[in-house]
Amino acid sequence: MDGTSQTDGAPSTDGAPSPESGASGAGTTGVYRVLARKYRPETFEELIGQAPMVRTLSNAFETGRIAQAWMLTGVRGVGKTTTARILARALNYEIPGKIDQPTIHMPEFGEHCAAIMEGRHVDVVEMDAASHTGIADIREIIEQVRYRPVSARYKVYIIDEVHMLSAAAFNGLLKTLEEPPEHVKFVFATTEIRKVPVTVLSRCQRFDLRRIDADLLVEHMAKIASAENVAVVPEALTLIARAAEGSARDSLSLLDQAIAHAGGSIRTEDVRDMLGLADRARVIDLFARLMAGDVAGALAELAGQYEVGADPAVVLIDLAEFVHLVTRLKFAADAVGGVAVTEEERRRGGEFAESLSVRVLSRAWQMLLKGIQEVQTAPKPLAAAEMVLVRLCYAADLPTPDEALKLLREGGPVPTRPATTTGSAASGPSAQATAAPPRADYSSAGRGGGDGRARLSLASERAAPDAMADLTAPEPLAATSAPQVAGIVLASLADVAELARTHRDLKLKDQVETLLHPVRFEPGRIEVELEPDAPSGLPGELGARLSDWTGTRWVVTVAREGGGATLRQRRDAERDRLLAEAKEDPNVAAILSAFPGAEIVGVRVTKPEPAAADPDAEPGDGETDDDAD
């Protein structure tokens, strides 16, 4: 929105911004004028960050292809109303004896320029649609457009926040907007373009005014600070530009506030205190502690930032911005530049980008986004922010879900944090390895769920076999004879479903699990019985996919009967068996009795730790004593 302007109608010659005519700080009237108004652009050349729109309008005016209506949209403070006034000035630009036609090149104030830019010209009507929403206001415009301008070339109607007009008002404007008199132009501005009817949009040339880049805002504020004789450090301007979020008006308002807060000379600490921001270096230190899993250090750092005035929600927002910066540095380091990123952020962010995986950064990003919402709505923001940091520390060295599944499939241990492990040891009797199905130990590892249901973590007493292994193969195949693809041995429908998952064909995986009853499985040939609602082309599609994935020919045939349970049915049966077994355990029965309304929602079977021999164990403690009498 804002840019350089002119003093007493004369253009600036040194490139630095100059205040509007008669708008100096104290002025002759003694009334202070805020920077956002004092340095408001008055020509297209002074607009910053809107080069595409300026280029389009320049070409249109030079070729005489001037539209009858324009729709300007964008977030607050990017220059919609200012652009509308400059358009009105360009349409009516006139210097007697020199220029008598519309032009975007306005090196000096013309006959109508001052009145137009100050919003007091009789032929340039500005209307706020937020307070003039009805059909009566539009009817007044419709009645006025028939009359020619009083003194200017065009009668220009500028309607701000046009999306606030009622449906009747929009409909009343349509005919005039489509075929206005030659001496009438319309300029609309809105922050909610989606609320404007498409019938209105189709009659206008639309320009989307962009958020202004932080580097441009910093450069712009530096020029204004110099014109105001205010000393300011570049990092302070960077903080203001970030807080403005692409709005020129917001950045100048914050600069105005910073000048008053600092008393003339603006330091980085002054801006941090004013905005409640944390030191960027301390934010990076906090991020390092989080990624190291240092809970105590992270909480102490947050407390230190809170004591000097940092808002807990702002701290989390800064952490999320740094996670985003690290992710960008990981993939597009060359695209990260400009004065908006400090050298320390670039250096330390690059170090984190080399050491942290995308999965870890994505997980931190998601946890921070959720945590920011929690802190903003929590009655005690500091406590909520501390809980978010604890979660981040706890998850720092945990595997991501796909890594955990991979470790489980490979039979390796899933890394955990011993310091945060709170589950008590199993209190049930030790079990002996037998050929019977694995029985789970329902001990004091249970935990109460937040919804009133007891969620029990159930550890098996011996190594649990693969619940789905060979369930679909009436005649198990030797591992050496079964084909192997991507580390998966194709010996059953379960292996086929896993292969489909690895190729991200989730629809086929679901069909294999729910619609196919296995009859026979052998290399290159699968015989199944179909569910009644199964697609008729499923066998052919499955054979074609397996042939493509394995590089060998697979044939899937259909039998009328003789099929076993589907993978889903066997999985459900196994779950029901474990739930029934859990209910029979006396420890679980005692827990359910102690917590009325509690229920078992799931059973998890894990591999037990190998029991170490106890030299002091007495006979009868779960081990046999061959030497006992």
Side-chain angles (χ1 to χ4, degrees):
M1 178 190 76
D2 301 271
T4 58
S5 56
Q6 301 159 356
T7 304
D8 298 329
S12 175
T13 59
D14 57 359
S18 54
E20 292 177 2
S21 178
S24 59
T28 56
T29 62
V31 178
Y32 177 74
R33 200 168 197 181
V34 296
L35 298 180
R37 295 183 60 194
K38 185 176 179 180
Y39 294 97
R40 195 169 195 169
E42 297 177 343
T43 65
F44 285 112
E45 290 82 0
E46 296 172 359
L47 283 171
I48 62 172
Q50 310 301 339
M53 178 192 69
V54 173
R55 182 171 61 252
T56 302
L57 291 175
S58 299
N59 294 336
F61 272 71
E62 289 176 359
T63 58
R65 306 177 67 88
I66 302 176
Q68 61 195 25
W70 295 272
M71 178 70 68
L72 308 177
T73 179
V75 298
R76 84 272 177 218
V78 293
K80 299 183 295 296
T81 304
T82 298
T83 301
R85 289 184 178 181
I86 297 176
L87 265 174
R89 180 188 172 193
L91 289 168
N92 293 306
Y93 191 69
E94 181 179 354
I95 298 179
K98 292 183 179 180
I99 300 176
D100 190 20
Q101 63 180 5
T103 178
I104 66 163
H105 302 293
M106 299 172 284
E108 58 182 296
F109 265 37
E111 185 176 353
H112 309 286
C113 293
I116 292 175
M117 297 308 299
E118 294 173 8
R120 55 180 175 81
H121 197 285
V122 66
D123 291 324
V124 178
V125 181
E126 295 190 28
M127 187 183 85
D128 178 19
S131 56
H132 300 80
T133 61
I135 182 62
D137 302 297
I138 298 302
R139 186 179 294 116
E140 183 178 348
I141 293 177
I142 295 173
E143 292 174 354
Q144 292 176 356
V145 296
R146 70 183 69 180
Y147 303 109
R148 298 192 62 83
V150 175
S151 60
R153 183 181 301 109
Y154 289 102
K155 183 177 288 188
V156 182
Y157 289 91
I158 300 175
I159 303 180
D160 200 7
E161 300 300 334
V162 69
H163 65 275
M164 300 292 289
L165 290 178
S166 65
F170 274 124
N171 291 333
L173 187 63
L174 289 179
K175 185 62 178 177
T176 302
L177 186 60
E178 184 174 12
E179 298 179 358
E182 294 182 355
H183 58 269
V184 174
K185 302 292 182 182
F186 290 93
V187 185
F188 304 118
T190 178
T191 55
E192 299 285 347
I193 190 64
R194 295 182 180 179
K195 295 183 180 180
V196 179
V198 66
T199 51
V200 173
L201 290 176
S202 64
R203 290 165 167 83
C204 305
Q205 280 191 4
R206 172 177 168 177
F207 292 101
D208 292 86
L209 276 67
R210 304 176 178 179
R211 291 181 184 269
I212 302 172
D213 187 73
D215 293 347
L216 286 176
L217 286 179
V218 170
E219 181 182 354
H220 181 57
M221 288 187 291
K223 292 179 180 179
I224 292 178
S226 176
E228 291 288 313
N229 296 320
V230 175
V232 56
V233 298
E235 188 175 352
L237 295 179
T238 299
L239 294 179
I240 294 176
R242 285 174 173 169
E245 296 180 342
S247 169
R249 182 175 62 230
D250 287 6
S251 67
L252 294 185
S253 298
L254 291 173
L255 179 61
D256 229 340
Q257 182 180 352
I259 294 173
H261 177 83
S265 179
I266 304 176
R267 301 171 302 168
T268 305
E269 294 77 11
D270 298 324
V271 177
R272 289 200 189 101
D273 293 341
M274 182 186 74
L275 299 178
L277 301 177
D279 188 342
R280 300 296 293 185
R282 298 190 67 174
V283 169
I284 301 174
D285 292 339
L286 177 58
F287 179 78
R289 295 182 184 277
L290 293 174
M291 293 300 100
D294 183 3
V295 178
L299 295 181
E301 179 61 36
L302 176 63
Q305 296 186 27
Y306 182 75
E307 289 175 359
V308 297
D311 187 333
V314 175
V315 172
L316 294 189
I317 292 174
D318 288 343
L319 279 172
E321 289 180 355
F322 187 69
V323 171
H324 174 253
L325 174 64
V326 173
T327 307
R328 289 188 64 193
L329 288 171
K330 193 173 188 68
F331 293 101
D334 295 339
V336 178
V339 297
V341 180
T342 64
E343 184 60 32
E344 183 175 10
E345 287 178 309
R346 189 178 293 105
R347 178 182 59 82
R348 298 187 65 182
E351 295 173 356
F352 284 116
E354 294 178 358
S355 60
L356 298 177
S357 67
V358 179
R359 293 183 178 91
V360 172
L361 292 172
S362 298
R363 179 172 58 193
W365 172 262
Q366 293 169 357
M367 295 177 70
L368 283 169
L369 287 186
K370 187 174 186 300
I372 291 169
Q373 297 177 356
E374 293 177 0
V375 172
Q376 290 174 340
T377 58
K380 294 185 177 180
L382 179 60
E386 289 178 342
M387 294 303 297
V388 174
L389 297 189
V390 170
R391 292 202 299 266
L392 283 166
C393 288
Y394 181 83
D397 59 354
L398 290 179
T400 55
D402 56 334
E403 293 172 342
L405 290 175
K406 181 179 180 181
L407 289 171
L408 288 173
R409 285 198 302 268
E410 295 175 352
V414 179
T416 57
R417 293 186 58 80
T420 57
T421 302
T422 57
S424 58
S427 60
S430 31
Q432 304 297 324
T434 63
R439 180 176 178 80
D441 173 19
Y442 314 97
S443 60
S444 58
R447 299 175 184 172
D451 55 359
R453 298 181 296 177
R455 299 181 179 272
L456 306 179
S457 177
L458 309 173
S460 69
E461 298 176 353
R462 69 179 181 85
D466 186 353
M468 303 305 298
D470 295 327
L471 290 177
T472 61
E475 297 181 5
L477 301 171
T480 55
S481 62
Q484 185 170 353
V485 181
I488 301 175
V489 178
L490 298 183
S492 65
L493 282 184
D495 300 331
V496 174
E498 176 62 18
L499 182 62
R501 187 195 67 80
T502 60
H503 285 274
R504 300 183 181 274
D505 195 337
L506 301 184
K507 178 181 178 182
L508 182 61
K509 173 182 178 293
D510 182 71
Q511 291 175 332
V512 170
E513 292 178 342
T514 58
L515 302 179
L516 302 184
H517 298 266
V519 177
R520 187 176 182 81
F521 196 107
E522 58 187 26
R525 183 179 182 85
I526 304 175
E527 188 175 1
V528 296
E529 178 186 355
L530 297 178
E531 279 282 306
D533 58 343
S536 59
L538 177 58
E541 180 184 359
L542 178 59
R545 295 291 178 85
L546 288 177
S547 299
D548 292 339
W549 292 339
T550 63
T552 60
R553 185 172 181 270
W554 281 81
V555 177
V556 181
T557 60
V558 179
R560 294 185 177 274
E561 58 184 13
T566 65
L567 298 178
R568 182 69 56 82
Q569 290 171 347
R570 290 182 179 270
R571 187 183 303 129
D572 293 343
E574 177 68 11
R575 181 197 60 202
D576 294 342
R577 181 185 70 79
L578 291 174
L579 288 175
E581 188 178 281
K583 293 179 181 179
E584 297 174 359
D585 189 276
N587 292 327
V588 175
I591 294 175
L592 296 178
S593 176
F595 297 95
E599 63 182 41
I600 303 173
V601 297
V603 179
R604 186 177 65 208
V605 181
T606 60
K607 297 182 180 180
E609 296 289 340
D614 187 355
D616 298 328
E618 296 292 337
D621 288 343
E623 297 180 9
T624 59
D625 190 345
D626 296 336
D627 298 332
D629 294 334

PDB file of all heavy atoms in Angstrom, residues 17 160 184 193 237 245 413 451 479 508 537:
ATOM      1  N   PRO A  17      11.324   8.396   0.655  1.00  0.00           N
ATOM      2  CA  PRO A  17       9.941   8.843   0.737  1.00  0.00           C
ATOM      3  C   PRO A  17       9.833  10.227   1.333  1.00  0.00           C
ATOM      4  O   PRO A  17      10.624  10.627   2.181  1.00  0.00           O
ATOM      5  CB  PRO A  17       9.296   7.796   1.658  1.00  0.00           C
ATOM      6  CG  PRO A  17      10.425   7.228   2.437  1.00  0.00           C
ATOM      7  CD  PRO A  17      11.634   7.320   1.566  1.00  0.00           C
ATOM      8  N   ASP A 160     -15.976   0.612  -1.110  1.00  0.00           N
ATOM      9  CA  ASP A 160     -15.084  -0.196  -0.281  1.00  0.00           C
ATOM     10  C   ASP A 160     -15.880  -1.280   0.437  1.00  0.00           C
ATOM     11  O   ASP A 160     -17.064  -1.083   0.764  1.00  0.00           O
ATOM     12  CB  ASP A 160     -14.380   0.702   0.741  1.00  0.00           C
ATOM     13  CG  ASP A 160     -13.117   0.058   1.291  1.00  0.00           C
ATOM     14  OD1 ASP A 160     -12.732  -1.004   0.792  1.00  0.00           O
ATOM     15  OD2 ASP A 160     -12.529   0.623   2.234  1.00  0.00           O
ATOM     16  N   VAL A 184     -18.678   7.277 -16.650  1.00  0.00           N
ATOM     17  CA  VAL A 184     -18.742   6.668 -15.312  1.00  0.00           C
ATOM     18  C   VAL A 184     -17.795   5.478 -15.234  1.00  0.00           C
ATOM     19  O   VAL A 184     -17.734   4.642 -16.146  1.00  0.00           O
ATOM     20  CB  VAL A 184     -20.188   6.232 -14.962  1.00  0.00           C
ATOM     21  CG1 VAL A 184     -20.218   5.470 -13.632  1.00  0.00           C
ATOM     22  CG2 VAL A 184     -21.101   7.442 -14.885  1.00  0.00           C
ATOM     23  N   ILE A 193     -13.462 -11.789  -1.339  1.00  0.00           N
ATOM     24  CA  ILE A 193     -13.859 -11.879  -2.744  1.00  0.00           C
ATOM     25  C   ILE A 193     -14.866 -12.993  -2.986  1.00  0.00           C
ATOM     26  O   ILE A 193     -15.692 -12.909  -3.907  1.00  0.00           O
ATOM     27  CB  ILE A 193     -12.589 -12.085  -3.627  1.00  0.00           C
ATOM     28  CG1 ILE A 193     -12.928 -11.940  -5.107  1.00  0.00           C
ATOM     29  CG2 ILE A 193     -11.958 -13.436  -3.332  1.00  0.00           C
ATOM     30  CD1 ILE A 193     -13.405 -10.585  -5.505  1.00  0.00           C
ATOM     31  N   LEU A 237      13.459  -3.828  12.425  1.00  0.00           N
ATOM     32  CA  LEU A 237      12.553  -3.718  11.275  1.00  0.00           C
ATOM     33  C   LEU A 237      12.124  -5.093  10.781  1.00  0.00           C
ATOM     34  O   LEU A 237      10.983  -5.277  10.332  1.00  0.00           O
ATOM     35  CB  LEU A 237      13.240  -2.942  10.151  1.00  0.00           C
ATOM     36  CG  LEU A 237      13.561  -1.470  10.437  1.00  0.00           C
ATOM     37  CD1 LEU A 237      14.256  -0.845   9.245  1.00  0.00           C
ATOM     38  CD2 LEU A 237      12.299  -0.697  10.790  1.00  0.00           C
ATOM     39  N   GLU A 245       2.833  -9.320   8.640  1.00  0.00           N
ATOM     40  CA  GLU A 245       2.294 -10.382   7.780  1.00  0.00           C
ATOM     41  C   GLU A 245       1.910  -9.864   6.396  1.00  0.00           C
ATOM     42  O   GLU A 245       0.824 -10.135   5.877  1.00  0.00           O
ATOM     43  CB  GLU A 245       1.092 -11.044   8.440  1.00  0.00           C
ATOM     44  CG  GLU A 245       1.428 -11.757   9.734  1.00  0.00           C
ATOM     45  CD  GLU A 245       0.231 -12.411  10.375  1.00  0.00           C
ATOM     46  OE1 GLU A 245      -0.916 -12.033  10.005  1.00  0.00           O
ATOM     47  OE2 GLU A 245       0.405 -13.284  11.231  1.00  0.00           O
ATOM     48  N   PRO A 413      13.659 -54.277  18.249  1.00  0.00           N
ATOM     49  CA  PRO A 413      12.992 -53.540  19.327  1.00  0.00           C
ATOM     50  C   PRO A 413      12.649 -52.126  18.905  1.00  0.00           C
ATOM     51  O   PRO A 413      13.382 -51.488  18.163  1.00  0.00           O
ATOM     52  CB  PRO A 413      14.038 -53.543  20.445  1.00  0.00           C
ATOM     53  CG  PRO A 413      15.349 -53.613  19.721  1.00  0.00           C
ATOM     54  CD  PRO A 413      15.107 -54.456  18.507  1.00  0.00           C
ATOM     55  N   ASP A 451     -12.207 -41.243  28.624  1.00  0.00           N
ATOM     56  CA  ASP A 451     -13.637 -41.287  28.359  1.00  0.00           C
ATOM     57  C   ASP A 451     -14.370 -42.236  29.290  1.00  0.00           C
ATOM     58  O   ASP A 451     -15.497 -42.626  29.039  1.00  0.00           O
ATOM     59  CB  ASP A 451     -13.885 -41.710  26.905  1.00  0.00           C
ATOM     60  CG  ASP A 451     -13.197 -43.026  26.573  1.00  0.00           C
ATOM     61  OD1 ASP A 451     -12.535 -43.572  27.468  1.00  0.00           O
ATOM     62  OD2 ASP A 451     -13.345 -43.489  25.426  1.00  0.00           O
ATOM     63  N   ALA A 479       9.668 -71.649   2.577  1.00  0.00           N
ATOM     64  CA  ALA A 479      10.086 -70.273   2.309  1.00  0.00           C
ATOM     65  C   ALA A 479      10.955 -70.182   1.076  1.00  0.00           C
ATOM     66  O   ALA A 479      10.971 -69.191   0.382  1.00  0.00           O
ATOM     67  CB  ALA A 479      10.834 -69.721   3.520  1.00  0.00           C
ATOM     68  N   LEU A 508      -7.128 -52.095  -3.429  1.00  0.00           N
ATOM     69  CA  LEU A 508      -6.919 -53.522  -3.686  1.00  0.00           C
ATOM     70  C   LEU A 508      -6.594 -54.250  -2.387  1.00  0.00           C
ATOM     71  O   LEU A 508      -7.057 -55.387  -2.174  1.00  0.00           O
ATOM     72  CB  LEU A 508      -5.794 -53.704  -4.702  1.00  0.00           C
ATOM     73  CG  LEU A 508      -5.488 -55.153  -5.106  1.00  0.00           C
ATOM     74  CD1 LEU A 508      -6.712 -55.787  -5.758  1.00  0.00           C
ATOM     75  CD2 LEU A 508      -4.293 -55.214  -6.061  1.00  0.00           C
ATOM     76  N   GLY A 537     -14.574 -58.469 -11.801  1.00  0.00           N
ATOM     77  CA  GLY A 537     -13.248 -58.322 -12.394  1.00  0.00           C
ATOM     78  C   GLY A 537     -12.112 -58.307 -11.391  1.00  0.00           C
ATOM     79  O   GLY A 537     -10.954 -58.098 -11.767  1.00  0.00           O
TER      80      GLY A 537
END
